[in-house]
Amino acid sequence: MTQAETTPRTGKRVLLAKPRGYCAGVDRAVQTVEEALKLYGAPIYVRKQIVHNKHVVRTLEAQGAIFVEENEEVPEGATVIFSAHGVAPEVYEQAKARSLKAIDATCPLVTKVHQEAKRFAAEDYDILLIGHEGHEEVIGTAGEAPAHIQLVDGPDGVDKVTVRDPNKVVWLSQTTLSVDETLETVARLKSRLPLLQSPPSDDICYATSNRQHVVKEIAPECDVVIVVGSRNSSNSVRLVEVALDAGARAGYLVDFAHEIDDAWLTGAGTVGVTSGASVPDELVQDVLTHLAARGFTDVEEITTANERLTFSLPQELKRDMKAAAARA
């Protein structure tokens, strides 16, 4: 039995998921922008949202970060930071052509998928990239080997797959997908391509898997699950889907506590709360305060994993920080 199942129902309660919120890659990316602002001064340009969260983007904008869609919007010779989701090689070339000082804040786990794509392409494999069309991470990974990669957007995309040689085909995936849906997609692919190879290690990141796992644990007990996260955050959207699939009676995605509709809580005894991997915990605390004001004062944290992974800052930033410290 889970901890949630053994807790007696005592009026209105909250089951608070752990792990939740910031993962190591997001923490590193946000810190990269903050340290760059301190070191080089404002403005610092960031290509795309550094992470997919409204609050984080607004906070960094207030500190002097300017978010742009493409390198062309960055003045020549200025500093640009690439987001945690990764970019295609052509983006580096564009930056070089504009004499931009580029700092790569790509999550190392995304970089791992890029390296896998390059390696399998060099060995002339067909690569089936499981992911969501148009997502920045997918665009970046596909850009590493566009002639070898085809997108498989979930189980329904399997029937469209064509390969040159069924003996030389491998699947990779976006790091923020639903674990269960990805396994279903792979199973369908293998029914069509029995010799399909898997990546050397799981591409779905540890944080995505952990957050989905704890939501599965608490969802059967919950009348409502509230996920804090932005709508363009793939892993946050997946958490709502996972909660509903795992037995929650209802699930909602909100950026901020004030977006919670009181009607969602009508008749609810247990509310689950979690947050996506790009969400600072202060937003979750705001939700807990909001719920407490509505009688949900009994909060129990349900823990299924303890995360200790950290990533160091990008090398180019660390080098400049070290040089600045030496001068000081």
Side-chain angles (χ1 to χ4, degrees):
M1 294 179 75
T2 67
Q3 191 176 346
E5 288 170 335
T6 58
T7 304
R9 287 182 178 269
T10 52
K12 295 179 176 180
R13 64 172 180 163
V14 175
L15 296 181
L16 179 60
K18 184 181 178 182
R20 63 181 180 275
Y22 268 18
C23 63
V26 164
D27 195 34
R28 172 184 187 262
V30 173
Q31 203 182 339
T32 296
V33 180
E34 292 171 340
E35 292 295 337
L37 283 164
K38 286 184 210 167
L39 184 63
Y40 309 120
I44 292 292
Y45 293 84
V46 184
R47 185 185 178 277
K48 307 290 186 183
Q49 291 188 358
I50 187 69
V51 297
H52 287 157
N53 184 263
K54 278 185 187 178
H55 175 78
V56 170
V57 170
R58 288 175 187 171
T59 301
L60 292 173
E61 281 177 333
Q63 294 173 24
I66 296 176
F67 292 87
V68 299
E69 285 300 303
E70 299 298 343
N71 286 334
E72 288 73 23
E73 300 169 62
V74 182
E76 289 203 14
T79 298
V80 64
I81 297 175
F82 297 146
S83 81
H85 308 102
V87 297
E90 65 182 5
V91 175
Y92 293 98
E93 295 304 316
Q94 293 164 358
K96 194 173 177 183
R98 293 183 63 78
S99 301
L100 302 181
K101 178 181 181 63
I103 297 174
D104 185 6
T106 301
C107 173
L109 299 179
V110 174
T111 300
K112 175 183 82 76
V113 182
H114 281 225
Q115 298 300 336
E116 290 169 352
K118 287 193 281 191
R119 180 167 69 82
F120 283 112
E123 295 172 11
D124 202 29
Y125 274 76
D126 280 343
I127 301 166
L128 307 181
L129 177 60
I130 301 171
H132 296 301
E133 188 168 6
H135 191 278
E136 287 162 42
E137 185 185 325
V138 164
I139 293 169
T141 302
E144 294 287 2
H148 289 263
I149 292 177
Q150 58 185 297
L151 181 65
V152 184
D153 197 340
D156 294 338
V158 171
D159 292 340
K160 301 172 191 168
V161 169
T162 57
V163 299
R164 295 168 300 157
D165 181 356
N167 296 303
K168 287 196 78 172
V169 59
V170 64
W171 69 269
L172 303 176
S173 84
Q174 184 181 328
T175 63
T176 55
L177 299 179
S178 159
V179 175
D180 292 340
E181 185 176 295
T182 302
L183 290 174
E184 182 187 345
T185 304
V186 172
R188 286 204 198 180
L189 284 169
K190 285 189 172 176
S191 70
R192 286 195 57 203
L193 300 161
L195 298 179
L196 176 71
Q197 291 190 38
S198 299
S201 60
D202 194 352
D203 283 346
I204 294 179
C205 90
Y206 76 96
T208 298
S209 300
N210 287 347
R211 280 149 192 70
Q212 290 178 18
H213 179 67
V214 67
V215 165
K216 285 182 186 178
E217 288 287 309
I218 67 173
E221 292 288 304
C222 295
D223 300 300
V224 181
V225 171
I226 294 171
V227 178
V228 186
S230 295
R231 299 199 176 278
N232 63 337
S233 165
S234 176
N235 76 87
S236 298
V237 172
R238 299 290 85 73
L239 287 172
V240 177
E241 296 171 354
V242 168
L244 293 170
D245 288 345
R249 264 65 83 194
Y252 302 99
L253 181 67
V254 299
D255 266 294
F256 305 102
H258 67 78
E259 295 173 4
I260 297 171
D261 187 335
D262 282 349
W264 301 346
L265 307 176
T266 302
T270 301
V271 175
V273 174
T274 189
S275 58
S278 49
V279 178
D281 207 53
E282 65 191 271
L283 300 184
V284 175
Q285 298 308 315
D286 289 345
V287 166
L288 295 178
T289 300
H290 183 95
L291 292 172
R294 285 148 183 81
F296 292 88
T297 54
D298 178 12
V299 179
E300 181 183 357
E301 192 168 60
I302 306 300
T303 304
T304 56
N306 289 301
E307 296 176 348
R308 296 185 178 87
L309 184 65
T310 58
F311 295 130
S312 63
L313 292 169
Q315 287 296 330
E316 53 271 44
L317 179 58
K318 282 168 59 179
R319 187 171 54 244
D320 287 356
M321 289 170 70
K322 187 176 179 181
R327 286 195 299 271

